[in-house]
């Protein structure tokens, strides 16, 4: 069996691409130096794969910013509204699409399926042209780099269905007409690679995992059948899917003439297996079997893979199959080697180690008993490791009962009690939590981290910042204050570090978008909170003022979705464990005299399963996790939550079921989108649709914010329930613009109060 990968991390072993991009954007290096540096990263990525046993190496999966943008660029359809100065080079233009400039707002960016990677959404108008066939250049370049090596190259391209679908066509008709318009250009690109001597060709169609668009998929099948019959003699085409099963389309897909069909046998294992077993498959059909998890960081259980392959061998010709990761490896860091993760380290496999697992598996298949038994021992040990099993957490999980998930009284009652306890005006003003993380904050954090200042000095500094920010908020006239979150770098990492069951890498970077990388925590064991995590700062802030200060926590689902999660127990149970730890924190905050507690859940939506029929179950336990974290609060304590998006159409009932007393959401940036929901759905708890966009330096005038608030009232949000706040946290902003914007916001609330009643 041969080994292939579907894609490899792009960012460089030590984030070289990130640093190249940033110096290029700052104009510290020339275009030539930049491209030379990039070539080095690309070359290293190719060679790493070859040297670690990959037989068929992808080319074209690399990108300077994003592959969807590259595809749009190829087909001349990134966005027609863009205007460039005539002297701008192709590289400068490329980055303007991604990042915008003074004349051109950037293209929208959104999450790539259910990953934490963001892609650029092209603005397609139906007119395509072959603008730049970079794939053929990449192929020729890689061929040169690998001369003399005994490997095959495999150009990779996002397929037409997935590409158009990700460009957000407005309905299925538009999807179909755009696909029809772009097919001839796809054919042209494919032909150029066939002519250039490509013996393999991977076409990515992960959108098939949605299991939708019957008509469009039928059309796609016709296109692929033509491609395969026209070029299939010279080139072996792979229909590559990932992020789940494709059982809805499998019967059709095997008739499209592909030499290989690539399947995700981790997430899609059972359903794909079933689809294979009940489909008539013609002899000689090849498969690329994604048996090593490309989305997570754990070692692979070989015995499971071997039993899977045994089952498959009854139906398909394994000698023609290839082994691969279940998706591109861009979602995991480069290498475990060099990390310092103690007992957890043995159980981890990042990109390079996953390649080792694939070659191991191939050996194990030839009845290499030693490999199998060593791997088995590893998993037996992992299950029992005392450092990750916590009896008291397991006990607590077992004794959960339905009442733990519900507040002591329904919202209406709580609302009355909170009104009395808090004494807030109508249209109360607040912020989302963080305030500008200025130079001095980052500097002191660095000094503390590197041991150049003491814990005490750091705490004294943070206390000073808290006093300052409370005073500022009082002067501005805000009603509900925050402590500013100066002690936090990242809203997940901050909590992860304080909880048991989390590990943190030194160099485990994963690309989030462009040059931005994140280092997700690794949840390896039972989660608990050994001691309070946020009390000191919040209590200190509350001591400085008579106005209520909000306690600020990151919610269980956001912590879950932004981490690598253990797979030996259900995700739901990990979420509940985190929720229990947060529940203790909520109780402690309350005991410390905090009367309002916000539990942020910006990542709730992105955890939605790709297949619609699985979404309900997810939402059900996600909502329950939030409730478990918060339901411990007394009726008088006001629970807030916050989300950074406004795309609520299909999840509004779940949002309501979270039973938060107040929810703040993004609204100013996507004007109106959010409010449409309220025409149909009567949301009956407090809500603060953001009145200004915190992503921009611009300070909107009072009148604009008043107008937005009035629009909320017009669209059916009850005046007793309306809060006034920005779209999101202010940590990326500067102080001068922040003060001006908040002052305008407070003024806008006053205007609204005068017009619509004081209490
Ligand atoms: N409380 C957080 C902040 O203000 C919320 C951030 C977020 O929603 N992503 O920074
Ligand atoms: Zn936000």
């Amino acid at each position: 069996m041969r080994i292939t990968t579907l894609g490899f991390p792009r960012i460089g072993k030590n984030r070289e691409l990130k640093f190249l991009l940033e110096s290029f954007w700052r104009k510290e290096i020339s275009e030539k130096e930049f491209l030379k540096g990039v070539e080095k990263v690309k070359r290293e990525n190719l060679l790493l794969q070859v040297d670690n046993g990959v037989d068929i190496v992808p080319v074209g999966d690399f990108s300077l910013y994003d592959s969807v943008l590259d595809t749009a660029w190829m087909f001349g359809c990134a966005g027609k509204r863009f205007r460039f100065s005539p002297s701008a080079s192709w590289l400068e233009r490329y980055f303007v699409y991604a990042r915008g400039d003074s004349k051109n707002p950037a293209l929208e960016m959104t999450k790539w399926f259910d990953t934490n990677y963001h892609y650029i959404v092209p603005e397609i108008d139906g007119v395509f042209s072959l603008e730049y066939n970079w794939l053929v250049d990449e192929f020729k370049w890689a061929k040169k780099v690998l001369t003399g090596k005994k490997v095959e190259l495999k150009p990779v391209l996002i397929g037409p269905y997935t590409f158009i679908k990700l460009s957000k066509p407005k309905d299925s008709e538009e999807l179909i007409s755009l696909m029809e318009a772009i097919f001839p250009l796809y054919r042209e690109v494919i032909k150029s690679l066939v002519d250039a001597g490509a013996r393999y060709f991977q076409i990515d169609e992960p959108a098939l995992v949605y299991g939708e668009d019957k008509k469009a998929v039928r059309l796609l099948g016709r296109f692929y059948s033509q491609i395969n019959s026209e070029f299939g003699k010279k080139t072996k085409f792979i229909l590559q899917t990932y992020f789940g099963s494709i059982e809805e389309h499998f019967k059709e897909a095997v008739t499209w003439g592909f030499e290989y069909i690539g399947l995700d046998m981790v997430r899609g294992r059972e359903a794909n297996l079933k689809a294979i077993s009940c489909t008539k498959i013609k002899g000689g059909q090849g498969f690329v079997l994604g048996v090593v998890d490309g989305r997570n960081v754990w070692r692979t259980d070989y015995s499971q893979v071997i039993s899977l392959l045994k089952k498959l061998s009854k139906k398909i010709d394994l000698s023609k199959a290839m082994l691969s990761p279940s998706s591109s490896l861009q979602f995991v860091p480069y290498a475990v080697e060099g990390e310092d993760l103690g007992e957890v380290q043995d159980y981890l496999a990042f990109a390079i180690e996953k390649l080792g697992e694939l070659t191991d598996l191939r050996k194990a298949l030839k009845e290499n008993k030693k490999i199998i038994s060593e791997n088995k021992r590893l998993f037996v040990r992992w299950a029992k490791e005392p450092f990750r099993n916590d009896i008291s957490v397991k006990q607590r999980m077992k004794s959960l009962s339905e009442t733990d998930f519900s507040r002591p009284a329904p919202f209406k009652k709580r609302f009355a009690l909170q009104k009395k306890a808090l004494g807030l005006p109508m249209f109360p003003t607040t912020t989302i939590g963080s305030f500008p993380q200025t130079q001095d904050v980052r500097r002191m954090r660095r000094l503390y981290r590197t041991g150049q200042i003491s814990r005490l000095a750091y705490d004294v500094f943070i206390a000073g910042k808290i006093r300052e920010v409370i005073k500022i908020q009082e002067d501005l006239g805000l009603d509900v204050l925050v402590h500013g979150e100066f002690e936090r770098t990242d809203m997940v990492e901050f909590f992860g570090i304080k909880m048991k069951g989390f590990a943190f890498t030194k160099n485990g970077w994963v690309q989030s978008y462009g040059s931005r990388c994140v280092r997700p925590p690794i949840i390896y064991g039972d989660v608990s909170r050994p001691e309070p995590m946020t009390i000191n700062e919040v209590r200190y802030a509350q001591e400085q003022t008579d106005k209520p200060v909000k306690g600020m926590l990151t919610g269980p689902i956001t912590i879950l979705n932004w981490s690598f999660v253990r797979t030996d127990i259900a995700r739901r149970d990990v979420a509940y464990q985190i929720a229990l730890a947060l529940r203790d924190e909520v109780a402690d905050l309350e005991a410390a005299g905090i009367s309002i507690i916000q539990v942020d859940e910006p990542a709730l939506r992105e955890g939605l399963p790709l297949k619609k029929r699985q979404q309900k179950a997810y939402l059900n336990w996600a909502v329950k996790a939030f409730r478990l974290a918060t339901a411990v609060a007394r009726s008088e304590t006001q629970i807030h939550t916050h989300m950074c998006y406004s795309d609520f159409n299909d999840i509004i009932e779940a949002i309501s079921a979270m039973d938060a007393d107040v929810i703040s959401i993004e609204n100013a940036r996507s004007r109106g989108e959010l409010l449409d929901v309220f025409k149909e759905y009567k949301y009956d708890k407090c809500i603060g649709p953001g009145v200004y966009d915190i992503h921009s330096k611009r300070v909107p005038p009072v009148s604009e914010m008043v107008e937005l608030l009035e629009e909320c009232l017009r669209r059916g949000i009850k005046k007793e329930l309306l809060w006034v706040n920005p779209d999101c946290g202010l940590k990326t902003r500067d102080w001068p613009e922040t003060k001006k914007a908040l002052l305008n916001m407070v003024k806008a609330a006053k205007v609204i109060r005068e017009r619509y009643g004081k209490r």
Side-chain angles (χ1 to χ4, degrees), residues 411-412 414-416 418-419 422 424-428 430 596 638-642 648 652 655-656 658-665 674 678 682-689 717-725:
F411 172 74
K412 271 220 168 77
R414 303 197 306 261
F415 182 69
Q418 289 163 17
K419 200 162 154 186
L422 296 169
L424 295 171
M426 290 270 287
F427 310 107
T430 190
I596 304 183
Q638 193 169 62
I639 297 292
H640 289 216
T641 190
H642 164 72
F648 281 137
I652 185 73
I655 301 294
S656 180
M658 290 166 74
D659 203 24
D661 299 304
V662 182
I663 175 171
S664 58
I665 13 191
L674 162 75
F678 295 99
K682 283 269 158 283
Y683 190 81
D684 57 357
K685 292 173 274 282
C686 295
I687 183 160
I717 296 180
K718 281 212 205 111
K719 62 178 184 177
E720 298 75 31
L721 303 180
L722 188 59
W723 278 62
V724 181
N725 46 258

Side-chain angles (χ1 to χ4, degrees), residues 431-435 484-485 488 491 552-554 558 562 598 600-603 642-644 727-731:
T431 60
I432 306 305
S434 59
F435 269 98
E485 301 181 26
R488 306 182 188 179
M491 62 189 291
M552 213 40 82
L553 306 175
T554 302
T558 298
W562 289 352
Q598 178 170 312
D600 292 328
E601 283 292 22
H642 164 72
M643 283 162 204
C644 312
D727 263 355
C728 194
L730 298 161
K731 98 173 167 204

Side-chain angles (χ1 to χ4, degrees), residues 82-178:
F82 283 77
R83 295 287 165 268
F84 304 103
S85 81
S87 65
S89 68
W90 71 266
L91 200 55
E92 284 164 335
R93 291 172 195 225
Y94 175 84
F95 288 129
V96 171
Y97 285 120
R99 310 173 66 230
D101 65 7
S102 57
K103 279 180 249 109
N104 304 287
L107 290 169
E108 185 195 339
M109 193 166 65
T110 193
K111 300 243 167 177
W112 171 250
F113 295 89
D114 60 351
T115 73
N116 215 342
Y117 171 77
H118 302 67
Y119 75 93
I120 300 282
V121 186
E123 292 172 5
I124 288 183
D125 66 355
V127 182
F128 303 110
S129 62
L130 191 49
E131 185 160 317
Y132 175 29
N133 186 351
W134 46 264
L135 189 56
V136 78
D137 291 349
E138 287 286 287
F139 176 69
K140 288 177 182 161
W141 166 81
K143 219 165 147 181
K144 248 189 260 153
V145 172
L146 296 182
T147 9
K149 304 258 180 200
K150 268 180 48 201
V151 290
E152 297 275 1
L153 275 169
K154 177 179 65 168
V156 177
L157 191 60
I158 297 173
Y161 169 56
T162 298
F163 175 66
I164 300 291
K165 183 109 175 137
L166 293 177
S167 313
K168 301 193 179 174
K170 62 177 188 298
D171 51 27
S172 66
E173 242 157 75
E174 191 173 89
L175 169 66
I176 285 175
S177 75
L178 291 171

